[in-house]
PDB file of all heavy atoms in Angstrom:
ATOM      1  N   HIS A  36       8.715   4.807  -2.654  1.00 95.00           N
ATOM      2  CA  HIS A  36      10.070   4.321  -2.751  1.00 95.00           C
ATOM      3  C   HIS A  36      11.116   5.431  -2.623  1.00 95.00           C
ATOM      4  O   HIS A  36      11.023   6.429  -3.345  1.00 95.00           O
ATOM      5  CB  HIS A  36      10.252   3.621  -4.111  1.00 95.00           C
ATOM      6  CG  HIS A  36      11.604   3.070  -4.309  1.00 95.00           C
ATOM      7  ND1 HIS A  36      12.063   1.935  -3.838  1.00 95.00           N
ATOM      8  CD2 HIS A  36      12.642   3.585  -5.006  1.00 95.00           C
ATOM      9  CE1 HIS A  36      13.299   1.681  -4.155  1.00 95.00           C
ATOM     10  NE2 HIS A  36      13.757   2.725  -4.882  1.00 95.00           N
ATOM     11  N   ASN A  37      12.059   5.226  -1.689  1.00 94.00           N
ATOM     12  CA  ASN A  37      13.146   6.235  -1.555  1.00 94.00           C
ATOM     13  C   ASN A  37      14.505   5.616  -1.584  1.00 94.00           C
ATOM     14  O   ASN A  37      15.490   6.253  -1.353  1.00 94.00           O
ATOM     15  CB  ASN A  37      12.970   7.111  -0.302  1.00 94.00           C
ATOM     16  CG  ASN A  37      12.932   6.291   0.957  1.00 94.00           C
ATOM     17  OD1 ASN A  37      13.411   5.153   0.991  1.00 94.00           O
ATOM     18  ND2 ASN A  37      12.377   6.837   2.028  1.00 94.00           N
ATOM     19  N   ASP A  38      14.541   4.301  -1.721  1.00 89.00           N
ATOM     20  CA  ASP A  38      15.768   3.486  -1.774  1.00 89.00           C
ATOM     21  C   ASP A  38      16.590   3.578  -0.508  1.00 89.00           C
ATOM     22  O   ASP A  38      17.763   3.217  -0.487  1.00 89.00           O
ATOM     23  CB  ASP A  38      16.655   3.979  -2.915  1.00 89.00           C
ATOM     24  CG  ASP A  38      17.519   2.825  -3.511  1.00 89.00           C
ATOM     25  OD1 ASP A  38      17.156   1.618  -3.354  1.00 89.00           O
ATOM     26  OD2 ASP A  38      18.596   3.128  -4.102  1.00 89.00           O
ATOM     27  N   LYS A  39      15.938   4.023   0.565  1.00 90.00           N
ATOM     28  CA  LYS A  39      16.642   4.103   1.870  1.00 90.00           C
ATOM     29  C   LYS A  39      15.914   3.244   2.936  1.00 90.00           C
ATOM     30  O   LYS A  39      16.365   2.134   3.145  1.00 90.00           O
ATOM     31  CB  LYS A  39      16.744   5.538   2.307  1.00 90.00           C
ATOM     32  CG  LYS A  39      17.605   6.402   1.470  1.00 90.00           C
ATOM     33  CD  LYS A  39      17.629   7.869   1.914  1.00 90.00           C
ATOM     34  CE  LYS A  39      18.523   8.707   0.973  1.00 90.00           C
ATOM     35  NZ  LYS A  39      18.509  10.167   1.430  1.00 90.00           N
ATOM     36  N   ASN A  40      14.807   3.808   3.406  1.00 92.00           N
ATOM     37  CA  ASN A  40      14.103   3.020   4.403  1.00 92.00           C
ATOM     38  C   ASN A  40      12.796   2.441   3.861  1.00 92.00           C
ATOM     39  O   ASN A  40      12.124   1.614   4.516  1.00 92.00           O
ATOM     40  CB  ASN A  40      13.768   3.874   5.652  1.00 92.00           C
ATOM     41  CG  ASN A  40      12.951   5.044   5.357  1.00 92.00           C
ATOM     42  OD1 ASN A  40      13.054   5.631   4.264  1.00 92.00           O
ATOM     43  ND2 ASN A  40      11.957   5.404   6.221  1.00 92.00           N
ATOM     44  N   ILE A  41      12.379   2.852   2.668  1.00 95.00           N
ATOM     45  CA  ILE A  41      11.230   2.243   2.055  1.00 95.00           C
ATOM     46  C   ILE A  41      11.604   1.781   0.617  1.00 95.00           C
ATOM     47  O   ILE A  41      11.971   2.607  -0.254  1.00 95.00           O
ATOM     48  CB  ILE A  41      10.020   3.233   1.914  1.00 95.00           C
ATOM     49  CG1 ILE A  41       9.533   3.616   3.330  1.00 95.00           C
ATOM     50  CG2 ILE A  41       8.855   2.582   1.174  1.00 95.00           C
ATOM     51  CD1 ILE A  41       8.382   4.523   3.427  1.00 95.00           C
ATOM     52  N   ILE A  42      11.579   0.464   0.366  1.00 94.00           N
ATOM     53  CA  ILE A  42      12.049  -0.074  -0.924  1.00 94.00           C
ATOM     54  C   ILE A  42      10.829  -0.784  -1.524  1.00 94.00           C
ATOM     55  O   ILE A  42      10.267  -1.745  -1.003  1.00 94.00           O
ATOM     56  CB  ILE A  42      13.177  -1.067  -0.711  1.00 94.00           C
ATOM     57  CG1 ILE A  42      14.431  -0.341  -0.185  1.00 94.00           C
ATOM     58  CG2 ILE A  42      13.490  -1.786  -2.071  1.00 94.00           C
ATOM     59  CD1 ILE A  42      14.556  -0.343   1.265  1.00 94.00           C
ATOM     60  N   VAL A  43      10.425  -0.270  -2.720  1.00 94.00           N
ATOM     61  CA  VAL A  43       9.331  -0.930  -3.511  1.00 94.00           C
ATOM     62  C   VAL A  43      10.012  -1.637  -4.659  1.00 94.00           C
ATOM     63  O   VAL A  43      10.598  -1.061  -5.513  1.00 94.00           O
ATOM     64  CB  VAL A  43       8.378   0.127  -4.068  1.00 94.00           C
ATOM     65  CG1 VAL A  43       7.164  -0.546  -4.794  1.00 94.00           C
ATOM     66  CG2 VAL A  43       7.810   0.946  -2.827  1.00 94.00           C
ATOM     67  N   THR A  44       9.894  -2.932  -4.669  1.00 91.00           N
ATOM     68  CA  THR A  44      10.660  -3.728  -5.675  1.00 91.00           C
ATOM     69  C   THR A  44       9.996  -3.830  -7.020  1.00 91.00           C
ATOM     70  O   THR A  44      10.655  -3.860  -8.016  1.00 91.00           O
ATOM     71  CB  THR A  44      10.828  -5.200  -5.184  1.00 91.00           C
ATOM     72  OG1 THR A  44       9.585  -5.860  -5.131  1.00 91.00           O
ATOM     73  CG2 THR A  44      11.500  -5.220  -3.818  1.00 91.00           C
ATOM     74  N   GLY A  45       8.674  -3.870  -7.120  1.00 86.00           N
ATOM     75  CA  GLY A  45       8.015  -4.257  -8.306  1.00 86.00           C
ATOM     76  C   GLY A  45       8.274  -5.746  -8.533  1.00 86.00           C
ATOM     77  O   GLY A  45       8.760  -6.436  -7.645  1.00 86.00           O
ATOM     78  N   PHE A  46       7.989  -6.237  -9.773  1.00 81.00           N
ATOM     79  CA  PHE A  46       8.223  -7.659 -10.009  1.00 81.00           C
ATOM     80  C   PHE A  46       9.707  -7.991 -10.014  1.00 81.00           C
ATOM     81  O   PHE A  46      10.557  -7.297 -10.523  1.00 81.00           O
ATOM     82  CB  PHE A  46       7.646  -8.025 -11.410  1.00 81.00           C
ATOM     83  CG  PHE A  46       7.924  -9.416 -11.800  1.00 81.00           C
ATOM     84  CD1 PHE A  46       7.165 -10.492 -11.320  1.00 81.00           C
ATOM     85  CD2 PHE A  46       8.994  -9.734 -12.697  1.00 81.00           C
ATOM     86  CE1 PHE A  46       7.473 -11.798 -11.666  1.00 81.00           C
ATOM     87  CE2 PHE A  46       9.263 -11.022 -13.020  1.00 81.00           C
ATOM     88  CZ  PHE A  46       8.506 -12.095 -12.555  1.00 81.00           C
ATOM     89  N   VAL A  47      10.049  -9.145  -9.331  1.00 84.00           N
ATOM     90  CA  VAL A  47      11.461  -9.596  -9.284  1.00 84.00           C
ATOM     91  C   VAL A  47      11.451 -11.033  -9.628  1.00 84.00           C
ATOM     92  O   VAL A  47      10.505 -11.827  -9.342  1.00 84.00           O
ATOM     93  CB  VAL A  47      12.109  -9.385  -7.874  1.00 84.00           C
ATOM     94  CG1 VAL A  47      12.296  -7.895  -7.617  1.00 84.00           C
ATOM     95  CG2 VAL A  47      11.279  -9.987  -6.766  1.00 84.00           C
ATOM     96  N   GLU A  48      12.492 -11.496 -10.238  1.00 82.00           N
ATOM     97  CA  GLU A  48      12.654 -12.906 -10.706  1.00 82.00           C
ATOM     98  C   GLU A  48      12.699 -13.855  -9.463  1.00 82.00           C
ATOM     99  O   GLU A  48      12.129 -14.921  -9.409  1.00 82.00           O
ATOM    100  CB  GLU A  48      13.863 -13.102 -11.553  1.00 82.00           C
ATOM    101  CG  GLU A  48      13.731 -12.490 -13.009  1.00 82.00           C
ATOM    102  CD  GLU A  48      12.657 -13.237 -13.801  1.00 82.00           C
ATOM    103  OE1 GLU A  48      12.386 -14.424 -13.565  1.00 82.00           O
ATOM    104  OE2 GLU A  48      12.110 -12.577 -14.739  1.00 82.00           O
ATOM    105  N   ASP A  49      13.499 -13.450  -8.473  1.00 87.00           N
ATOM    106  CA  ASP A  49      13.728 -14.323  -7.296  1.00 87.00           C
ATOM    107  C   ASP A  49      13.424 -13.505  -6.082  1.00 87.00           C
ATOM    108  O   ASP A  49      14.195 -12.660  -5.592  1.00 87.00           O
ATOM    109  CB  ASP A  49      15.194 -14.820  -7.232  1.00 87.00           C
ATOM    110  CG  ASP A  49      15.359 -15.798  -6.116  1.00 87.00           C
ATOM    111  OD1 ASP A  49      14.487 -16.018  -5.252  1.00 87.00           O
ATOM    112  OD2 ASP A  49      16.475 -16.491  -6.143  1.00 87.00           O
ATOM    113  N   VAL A  50      12.177 -13.727  -5.525  1.00 88.00           N
ATOM    114  CA  VAL A  50      11.734 -12.895  -4.395  1.00 88.00           C
ATOM    115  C   VAL A  50      12.513 -13.215  -3.108  1.00 88.00           C
ATOM    116  O   VAL A  50      12.549 -12.391  -2.210  1.00 88.00           O
ATOM    117  CB  VAL A  50      10.188 -13.134  -4.095  1.00 88.00           C
ATOM    118  CG1 VAL A  50       9.354 -12.644  -5.230  1.00 88.00           C
ATOM    119  CG2 VAL A  50       9.896 -14.583  -3.764  1.00 88.00           C
ATOM    120  N   ARG A  51      13.188 -14.368  -3.063  1.00 90.00           N
ATOM    121  CA  ARG A  51      13.911 -14.744  -1.883  1.00 90.00           C
ATOM    122  C   ARG A  51      15.027 -13.709  -1.535  1.00 90.00           C
ATOM    123  O   ARG A  51      15.339 -13.510  -0.353  1.00 90.00           O
ATOM    124  CB  ARG A  51      14.570 -16.129  -2.081  1.00 90.00           C
ATOM    125  CG  ARG A  51      13.584 -17.283  -2.203  1.00 90.00           C
ATOM    126  CD  ARG A  51      14.275 -18.556  -2.503  1.00 90.00           C
ATOM    127  NE  ARG A  51      15.131 -18.443  -3.683  1.00 90.00           N
ATOM    128  CZ  ARG A  51      15.977 -19.397  -4.090  1.00 90.00           C
ATOM    129  NH1 ARG A  51      16.025 -20.515  -3.439  1.00 90.00           N
ATOM    130  NH2 ARG A  51      16.722 -19.241  -5.169  1.00 90.00           N
ATOM    131  N   GLU A  52      15.588 -13.096  -2.562  1.00 88.00           N
ATOM    132  CA  GLU A  52      16.638 -12.086  -2.299  1.00 88.00           C
ATOM    133  C   GLU A  52      16.185 -11.002  -1.383  1.00 88.00           C
ATOM    134  O   GLU A  52      16.893 -10.488  -0.496  1.00 88.00           O
ATOM    135  CB  GLU A  52      17.090 -11.511  -3.692  1.00 88.00           C
ATOM    136  CG  GLU A  52      18.069 -10.391  -3.542  1.00 88.00           C
ATOM    137  CD  GLU A  52      18.330  -9.686  -4.866  1.00 88.00           C
ATOM    138  OE1 GLU A  52      17.925 -10.178  -5.942  1.00 88.00           O
ATOM    139  OE2 GLU A  52      18.933  -8.572  -4.848  1.00 88.00           O
ATOM    140  N   TYR A  53      14.880 -10.568  -1.539  1.00 89.00           N
ATOM    141  CA  TYR A  53      14.342  -9.483  -0.751  1.00 89.00           C
ATOM    142  C   TYR A  53      13.658 -10.040   0.536  1.00 89.00           C
ATOM    143  O   TYR A  53      13.779  -9.420   1.585  1.00 89.00           O
ATOM    144  CB  TYR A  53      13.324  -8.689  -1.550  1.00 89.00           C
ATOM    145  CG  TYR A  53      13.998  -7.803  -2.585  1.00 89.00           C
ATOM    146  CD1 TYR A  53      14.126  -8.283  -3.914  1.00 89.00           C
ATOM    147  CD2 TYR A  53      14.532  -6.611  -2.258  1.00 89.00           C
ATOM    148  CE1 TYR A  53      14.720  -7.536  -4.870  1.00 89.00           C
ATOM    149  CE2 TYR A  53      15.158  -5.803  -3.227  1.00 89.00           C
ATOM    150  CZ  TYR A  53      15.261  -6.308  -4.478  1.00 89.00           C
ATOM    151  OH  TYR A  53      15.930  -5.523  -5.448  1.00 89.00           O
ATOM    152  N   LEU A  54      13.009 -11.214   0.421  1.00 90.00           N
ATOM    153  CA  LEU A  54      12.375 -11.748   1.611  1.00 90.00           C
ATOM    154  C   LEU A  54      13.450 -12.075   2.659  1.00 90.00           C
ATOM    155  O   LEU A  54      13.203 -11.960   3.838  1.00 90.00           O
ATOM    156  CB  LEU A  54      11.670 -13.065   1.251  1.00 90.00           C
ATOM    157  CG  LEU A  54      10.435 -12.917   0.271  1.00 90.00           C
ATOM    158  CD1 LEU A  54       9.771 -14.293   0.062  1.00 90.00           C
ATOM    159  CD2 LEU A  54       9.442 -11.930   0.785  1.00 90.00           C
ATOM    160  N   ASN A  55      14.610 -12.448   2.245  1.00 89.00           N
ATOM    161  CA  ASN A  55      15.700 -12.832   3.127  1.00 89.00           C
ATOM    162  C   ASN A  55      16.134 -11.695   4.048  1.00 89.00           C
ATOM    163  O   ASN A  55      16.751 -11.889   5.053  1.00 89.00           O
ATOM    164  CB  ASN A  55      16.886 -13.386   2.352  1.00 89.00           C
ATOM    165  CG  ASN A  55      17.792 -14.232   3.209  1.00 89.00           C
ATOM    166  OD1 ASN A  55      17.310 -15.069   3.999  1.00 89.00           O
ATOM    167  ND2 ASN A  55      19.061 -14.039   3.085  1.00 89.00           N
ATOM    168  N   LYS A  56      15.797 -10.469   3.636  1.00 89.00           N
ATOM    169  CA  LYS A  56      16.258  -9.290   4.362  1.00 89.00           C
ATOM    170  C   LYS A  56      15.317  -9.030   5.516  1.00 89.00           C
ATOM    171  O   LYS A  56      15.611  -8.218   6.410  1.00 89.00           O
ATOM    172  CB  LYS A  56      16.258  -8.066   3.453  1.00 89.00           C
ATOM    173  CG  LYS A  56      17.261  -8.170   2.321  1.00 89.00           C
ATOM    174  CD  LYS A  56      17.110  -6.954   1.421  1.00 89.00           C
ATOM    175  CE  LYS A  56      17.959  -7.094   0.150  1.00 89.00           C
ATOM    176  NZ  LYS A  56      19.415  -6.975   0.368  1.00 89.00           N
ATOM    177  N   GLY A  57      14.101  -9.628   5.582  1.00 89.00           N
ATOM    178  CA  GLY A  57      13.054  -9.243   6.473  1.00 89.00           C
ATOM    179  C   GLY A  57      13.139  -9.846   7.840  1.00 89.00           C
ATOM    180  O   GLY A  57      13.450 -11.018   8.034  1.00 89.00           O
ATOM    181  N   THR A  58      12.855  -9.074   8.875  1.00 89.00           N
ATOM    182  CA  THR A  58      12.757  -9.578  10.254  1.00 89.00           C
ATOM    183  C   THR A  58      11.468 -10.259  10.383  1.00 89.00           C
ATOM    184  O   THR A  58      11.348 -11.338  11.031  1.00 89.00           O
ATOM    185  CB  THR A  58      12.888  -8.411  11.203  1.00 89.00           C
ATOM    186  OG1 THR A  58      13.974  -7.617  10.881  1.00 89.00           O
ATOM    187  CG2 THR A  58      12.946  -8.892  12.656  1.00 89.00           C
ATOM    188  N   PHE A  59      10.376  -9.685   9.876  1.00 89.00           N
ATOM    189  CA  PHE A  59       9.041 -10.315   9.900  1.00 89.00           C
ATOM    190  C   PHE A  59       8.212  -9.826   8.790  1.00 89.00           C
ATOM    191  O   PHE A  59       8.489  -8.853   8.153  1.00 89.00           O
ATOM    192  CB  PHE A  59       8.356 -10.132  11.303  1.00 89.00           C
ATOM    193  CG  PHE A  59       8.040  -8.665  11.588  1.00 89.00           C
ATOM    194  CD1 PHE A  59       6.810  -8.145  11.233  1.00 89.00           C
ATOM    195  CD2 PHE A  59       8.995  -7.902  12.298  1.00 89.00           C
ATOM    196  CE1 PHE A  59       6.457  -6.826  11.585  1.00 89.00           C
ATOM    197  CE2 PHE A  59       8.632  -6.551  12.590  1.00 89.00           C
ATOM    198  CZ  PHE A  59       7.417  -6.038  12.240  1.00 89.00           C
ATOM    199  N   LEU A  60       7.174 -10.600   8.550  1.00 89.00           N
ATOM    200  CA  LEU A  60       6.163 -10.292   7.477  1.00 89.00           C
ATOM    201  C   LEU A  60       4.891  -9.790   8.083  1.00 89.00           C
ATOM    202  O   LEU A  60       4.446 -10.294   9.074  1.00 89.00           O
ATOM    203  CB  LEU A  60       5.865 -11.520   6.604  1.00 89.00           C
ATOM    204  CG  LEU A  60       4.708 -11.383   5.636  1.00 89.00           C
ATOM    205  CD1 LEU A  60       5.279 -10.852   4.320  1.00 89.00           C
ATOM    206  CD2 LEU A  60       4.077 -12.748   5.388  1.00 89.00           C
ATOM    207  N   ILE A  61       4.367  -8.706   7.506  1.00 86.00           N
ATOM    208  CA  ILE A  61       3.046  -8.286   7.920  1.00 86.00           C
ATOM    209  C   ILE A  61       2.030  -8.632   6.854  1.00 86.00           C
ATOM    210  O   ILE A  61       2.283  -8.410   5.650  1.00 86.00           O
ATOM    211  CB  ILE A  61       3.004  -6.729   8.266  1.00 86.00           C
ATOM    212  CG1 ILE A  61       1.567  -6.336   8.657  1.00 86.00           C
ATOM    213  CG2 ILE A  61       3.427  -5.903   7.017  1.00 86.00           C
ATOM    214  CD1 ILE A  61       1.546  -5.285   9.750  1.00 86.00           C
ATOM    215  N   LEU A  62       0.936  -9.238   7.256  1.00 78.00           N
ATOM    216  CA  LEU A  62      -0.035  -9.681   6.306  1.00 78.00           C
ATOM    217  C   LEU A  62      -1.458  -9.281   6.743  1.00 78.00           C
ATOM    218  O   LEU A  62      -2.193 -10.041   7.350  1.00 78.00           O
ATOM    219  CB  LEU A  62      -0.007 -11.205   6.177  1.00 78.00           C
ATOM    220  CG  LEU A  62      -0.888 -11.868   5.078  1.00 78.00           C
ATOM    221  CD1 LEU A  62      -0.324 -11.543   3.687  1.00 78.00           C
ATOM    222  CD2 LEU A  62      -1.050 -13.339   5.262  1.00 78.00           C
ATOM    223  N   PRO A  63      -1.868  -8.007   6.572  1.00 71.00           N
ATOM    224  CA  PRO A  63      -3.193  -7.620   6.937  1.00 71.00           C
ATOM    225  C   PRO A  63      -4.222  -8.348   6.111  1.00 71.00           C
ATOM    226  O   PRO A  63      -4.131  -8.408   4.879  1.00 71.00           O
ATOM    227  CB  PRO A  63      -3.255  -6.115   6.617  1.00 71.00           C
ATOM    228  CG  PRO A  63      -1.796  -5.748   6.261  1.00 71.00           C
ATOM    229  CD  PRO A  63      -1.165  -6.963   5.828  1.00 71.00           C
ATOM    230  N   MET A  64      -5.264  -8.824   6.795  1.00 70.00           N
ATOM    231  CA  MET A  64      -6.283  -9.625   6.089  1.00 70.00           C
ATOM    232  C   MET A  64      -7.691  -9.035   6.383  1.00 70.00           C
ATOM    233  O   MET A  64      -8.009  -8.753   7.517  1.00 70.00           O
ATOM    234  CB  MET A  64      -6.244 -11.092   6.442  1.00 70.00           C
ATOM    235  CG  MET A  64      -5.038 -11.760   5.947  1.00 70.00           C
ATOM    236  SD  MET A  64      -5.102 -13.549   6.158  1.00 70.00           S
ATOM    237  CE  MET A  64      -6.316 -13.965   4.967  1.00 70.00           C
ATOM    238  N   GLU A  65      -8.398  -8.858   5.300  1.00 64.00           N
ATOM    239  CA  GLU A  65      -9.752  -8.285   5.435  1.00 64.00           C
ATOM    240  C   GLU A  65     -10.807  -9.411   5.428  1.00 64.00           C
ATOM    241  O   GLU A  65     -11.808  -9.336   6.167  1.00 64.00           O
ATOM    242  CB  GLU A  65      -9.994  -7.310   4.331  1.00 64.00           C
ATOM    243  CG  GLU A  65     -11.093  -6.321   4.599  1.00 64.00           C
ATOM    244  CD  GLU A  65     -11.014  -5.171   3.592  1.00 64.00           C
ATOM    245  OE1 GLU A  65      -9.987  -4.777   3.132  1.00 64.00           O
ATOM    246  OE2 GLU A  65     -12.178  -4.601   3.265  1.00 64.00           O
ATOM    247  N   ILE A  66     -10.546 -10.396   4.621  1.00 60.00           N
ATOM    248  CA  ILE A  66     -11.484 -11.528   4.514  1.00 60.00           C
ATOM    249  C   ILE A  66     -10.631 -12.833   4.502  1.00 60.00           C
ATOM    250  O   ILE A  66      -9.540 -12.850   4.101  1.00 60.00           O
ATOM    251  CB  ILE A  66     -12.387 -11.469   3.228  1.00 60.00           C
ATOM    252  CG1 ILE A  66     -11.426 -11.360   1.976  1.00 60.00           C
ATOM    253  CG2 ILE A  66     -13.343 -10.357   3.273  1.00 60.00           C
ATOM    254  CD1 ILE A  66     -12.245 -11.465   0.680  1.00 60.00           C
ATOM    255  N   GLY A  67     -11.275 -13.857   5.079  1.00 58.00           N
ATOM    256  CA  GLY A  67     -10.569 -15.178   5.142  1.00 58.00           C
ATOM    257  C   GLY A  67     -10.892 -16.025   3.979  1.00 58.00           C
ATOM    258  O   GLY A  67     -11.547 -17.060   4.124  1.00 58.00           O
ATOM    259  N   ALA A  68     -10.530 -15.575   2.778  1.00 57.00           N
ATOM    260  CA  ALA A  68     -10.915 -16.352   1.570  1.00 57.00           C
ATOM    261  C   ALA A  68      -9.726 -16.661   0.722  1.00 57.00           C
ATOM    262  O   ALA A  68      -8.695 -15.935   0.830  1.00 57.00           O
ATOM    263  CB  ALA A  68     -11.948 -15.549   0.754  1.00 57.00           C
ATOM    264  N   GLY A  69      -9.775 -17.686  -0.040  1.00 55.00           N
ATOM    265  CA  GLY A  69      -8.696 -18.049  -0.930  1.00 55.00           C
ATOM    266  C   GLY A  69      -7.541 -18.768  -0.223  1.00 55.00           C
ATOM    267  O   GLY A  69      -7.608 -19.042   0.993  1.00 55.00           O
ATOM    268  N   PHE A  70      -6.467 -19.007  -0.970  1.00 56.00           N
ATOM    269  CA  PHE A  70      -5.320 -19.714  -0.427  1.00 56.00           C
ATOM    270  C   PHE A  70      -4.167 -18.729  -0.305  1.00 56.00           C
ATOM    271  O   PHE A  70      -3.772 -18.147  -1.364  1.00 56.00           O
ATOM    272  CB  PHE A  70      -4.903 -20.859  -1.320  1.00 56.00           C
ATOM    273  CG  PHE A  70      -3.622 -21.523  -0.976  1.00 56.00           C
ATOM    274  CD1 PHE A  70      -3.525 -22.255   0.216  1.00 56.00           C
ATOM    275  CD2 PHE A  70      -2.534 -21.437  -1.773  1.00 56.00           C
ATOM    276  CE1 PHE A  70      -2.370 -22.864   0.582  1.00 56.00           C
ATOM    277  CE2 PHE A  70      -1.310 -22.021  -1.396  1.00 56.00           C
ATOM    278  CZ  PHE A  70      -1.248 -22.750  -0.230  1.00 56.00           C
ATOM    279  N   ARG A  71      -3.659 -18.494   0.852  1.00 71.00           N
ATOM    280  CA  ARG A  71      -2.590 -17.513   1.015  1.00 71.00           C
ATOM    281  C   ARG A  71      -1.260 -18.223   0.852  1.00 71.00           C
ATOM    282  O   ARG A  71      -0.555 -18.520   1.830  1.00 71.00           O
ATOM    283  CB  ARG A  71      -2.719 -16.869   2.437  1.00 71.00           C
ATOM    284  CG  ARG A  71      -4.013 -16.064   2.570  1.00 71.00           C
ATOM    285  CD  ARG A  71      -3.936 -14.772   1.741  1.00 71.00           C
ATOM    286  NE  ARG A  71      -5.267 -14.208   1.542  1.00 71.00           N
ATOM    287  CZ  ARG A  71      -5.997 -14.363   0.438  1.00 71.00           C
ATOM    288  NH1 ARG A  71      -5.536 -15.052  -0.559  1.00 71.00           N
ATOM    289  NH2 ARG A  71      -7.163 -13.790   0.352  1.00 71.00           N
ATOM    290  N   GLY A  72      -0.870 -18.400  -0.415  1.00 75.00           N
ATOM    291  CA  GLY A  72       0.372 -19.068  -0.714  1.00 75.00           C
ATOM    292  C   GLY A  72       1.624 -18.422  -0.067  1.00 75.00           C
ATOM    293  O   GLY A  72       2.567 -19.059   0.272  1.00 75.00           O
ATOM    294  N   ARG A  73       1.592 -17.087   0.002  1.00 81.00           N
ATOM    295  CA  ARG A  73       2.782 -16.379   0.523  1.00 81.00           C
ATOM    296  C   ARG A  73       3.066 -16.742   1.977  1.00 81.00           C
ATOM    297  O   ARG A  73       4.180 -16.616   2.470  1.00 81.00           O
ATOM    298  CB  ARG A  73       2.597 -14.881   0.324  1.00 81.00           C
ATOM    299  CG  ARG A  73       1.607 -14.229   1.256  1.00 81.00           C
ATOM    300  CD  ARG A  73       1.186 -12.871   0.729  1.00 81.00           C
ATOM    301  NE  ARG A  73      -0.065 -12.962   0.097  1.00 81.00           N
ATOM    302  CZ  ARG A  73      -0.905 -11.918   0.030  1.00 81.00           C
ATOM    303  NH1 ARG A  73      -0.565 -10.731   0.505  1.00 81.00           N
ATOM    304  NH2 ARG A  73      -2.047 -12.073  -0.557  1.00 81.00           N
TER     305      ARG A  73
END
């Protein structure tokens, strides 16, 4: 985290505030198990 080009939020009450800033989501997957709610 450097508060410039890399921002690590930790737990936040409303994730939409940060998700709304994103152009796209990257979701690397190793195994196809479980339910990917995100």
Side-chain angles (χ1 to χ4, degrees):
H36 177 81
N37 59 19
D38 209 25
K39 293 178 182 177
N40 63 322
I41 298 182
I42 296 92
V43 182
T44 67
F46 174 80
V47 291
E48 287 293 336
D49 188 349
V50 295
R51 296 175 304 175
E52 176 189 346
Y53 289 95
L54 296 183
N55 200 43
K56 298 175 187 290
T58 310
F59 64 91
L60 172 85
I61 180 143
L62 185 74
M64 292 189 70
E65 202 164 330
I66 54 174
F70 172 68
R71 295 290 163 260
R73 73 195 101 154

